[in-house]
Amino acid sequence: MNIRVLAIDDEPLALQQLAAYIRKIPYFELVAECQSALEAREVMDREPVDAIFCDINMPDLNGMEFVRQLAVRPVVVFTTAYSEYAIEGYKVDAVDYLLKPFGFNDFQRAAMKVKHQMVDVEAPRPAGRETQEEDSIFIKTDYRMVRISISDIRYVEGMSEYLKLHLDSQPKPIVTLLSMKKMEEFLPQHFMRIHRSYIVNLDKIIEVNKNRVILDADTYLPIGDNYKEQFQQYLDTRFLGK
């Protein structure tokens, strides 16, 4: 796969670093380095572009507005020093958001998301629920935007208009203002809603005992009546026995 990529940043050193990272990815082809959204628009008018890595804070036309105005939108990764733009970035379907200063490891993860998105576009999707390719999400908590690895989530607990995200990596849950429905729609297939108030990471379940799932010696989650059938179907596909 050869993905044609455009680098956009008004800061020369940042643009130089971004272009260097793009050149290191074997399936990326750097189309051009642009110091403004207007320059990028001119390039895209004459050159096919599959993906853009675009700074947000730029003179004349910022990156967010630039992307919103594109009639044909490539795969987008935003780069910026300001974390408050993360949610806005996902509103325009950006596949990732790189917070400056970022290293090559972070860039590689974003590059893989671009590649996965291109594969999804080119290949027909299987019937049923779409597979999420994201490996992390941004959550707003205590006036901060924090990145959370999806594999780190043990279960999600609903509390009225708020959610508690219980993680493997820390003892206290992260609390955020978000609906269960929104979270359920975003999380990938190995998460399942088993109760009105709980979404569980199926990979974290160590035992199922009557009407509850057990994650560890101290964590038991109930299985709601409205969710038993779906959960039983999941168990049936993985049960070895008579």
Side-chain angles (χ1 to χ4, degrees):
M1 173 179 287
N2 188 43
I3 301 172
R4 292 173 57 84
V5 181
L6 198 62
I8 311 168
D9 200 306
D10 66 308
E11 300 176 8
L13 290 178
L15 181 60
Q16 182 180 353
Q17 182 68 77
L18 181 58
Y21 285 167
I22 291 172
R23 291 189 181 97
K24 288 183 178 181
I25 303 297
Y27 47 84
F28 276 179
E29 176 187 344
L30 181 62
V31 175
E33 303 171 39
C34 302
Q35 287 191 261
S36 72
L38 299 179
E39 183 182 347
R41 182 183 289 167
E42 291 177 0
V43 172
M44 294 177 71
D45 284 343
R46 65 177 187 268
E47 296 273 358
V49 172
D50 300 314
I52 61 174
F53 284 76
C54 184
D55 187 26
I56 293 177
N57 294 292
M58 294 186 291
D60 299 323
L61 181 64
N62 74 41
M64 201 77 68
E65 289 304 315
F66 167 63
V67 170
R68 286 195 180 103
Q69 292 176 15
L70 292 174
V72 179
R73 190 175 297 172
V75 179
V76 178
V77 176
F78 282 119
T79 66
T80 185
Y82 301 95
S83 61
E84 63 266 24
Y85 285 112
I87 293 299
E88 290 299 314
Y90 287 116
K91 285 181 180 178
V92 295
D93 296 326
V95 298
D96 206 358
Y97 173 97
L98 291 170
L99 186 62
K100 296 179 181 178
F102 54 88
F104 186 59
N105 286 340
D106 291 327
F107 183 85
Q108 280 184 304
R109 284 191 287 269
M112 283 302 299
K113 291 180 183 180
V114 172
K115 183 179 181 181
H116 289 158
Q117 183 76 4
M118 293 296 298
V119 170
D120 285 348
V121 169
E122 292 175 1
R125 288 185 180 275
R129 187 175 177 181
E130 294 182 355
T131 301
Q132 292 286 350
E133 298 292 352
E134 305 291 348
D135 60 9
S136 64
I137 54 176
F138 280 93
I139 291 293
K140 187 173 184 179
T141 181
D142 296 331
Y143 306 102
R144 299 177 296 127
M145 298 296 301
V146 296
R147 185 193 290 269
I148 296 173
S149 171
I150 287 179
S151 63
D152 193 29
I153 301 173
R154 303 183 71 217
Y155 66 97
V156 180
E157 180 181 1
M159 308 183 308
S160 186
E161 297 178 346
Y162 290 84
L163 297 181
K164 283 184 178 180
L165 276 68
H166 297 262
L167 309 178
D168 279 331
S169 61
Q170 57 188 68
K172 291 185 178 180
I174 290 179
V175 179
T176 186
L177 179 61
L178 197 65
S179 71
M180 286 286 280
K181 180 176 174 58
K182 186 73 173 177
M183 180 61 75
E184 185 180 12
E185 289 174 350
F186 183 85
L187 290 172
Q189 287 179 316
H190 60 278
F191 285 81
M192 182 179 291
R193 192 165 183 176
I194 60 168
H195 187 275
R196 181 171 56 87
S197 301
Y198 295 103
I199 299 171
V200 66
N201 184 339
L202 298 170
D203 294 339
K204 307 293 184 180
I205 297 174
I206 62 171
E207 185 178 331
V208 180
N209 189 334
K210 296 182 180 179
N211 292 326
R212 62 184 183 178
V213 298
I214 300 172
L215 306 189
D216 57 47
D218 301 312
T219 309
Y220 302 77
L221 304 180
I223 304 171
D225 290 340
N226 292 335
Y227 303 90
K228 285 181 181 178
E229 182 177 354
Q230 180 186 13
F231 185 68
Q232 186 60 51
Q233 289 175 356
Y234 161 76
L235 290 179
D236 290 344
T237 63
R238 288 158 177 79
F239 179 68
L240 298 180
K242 296 181 180 179

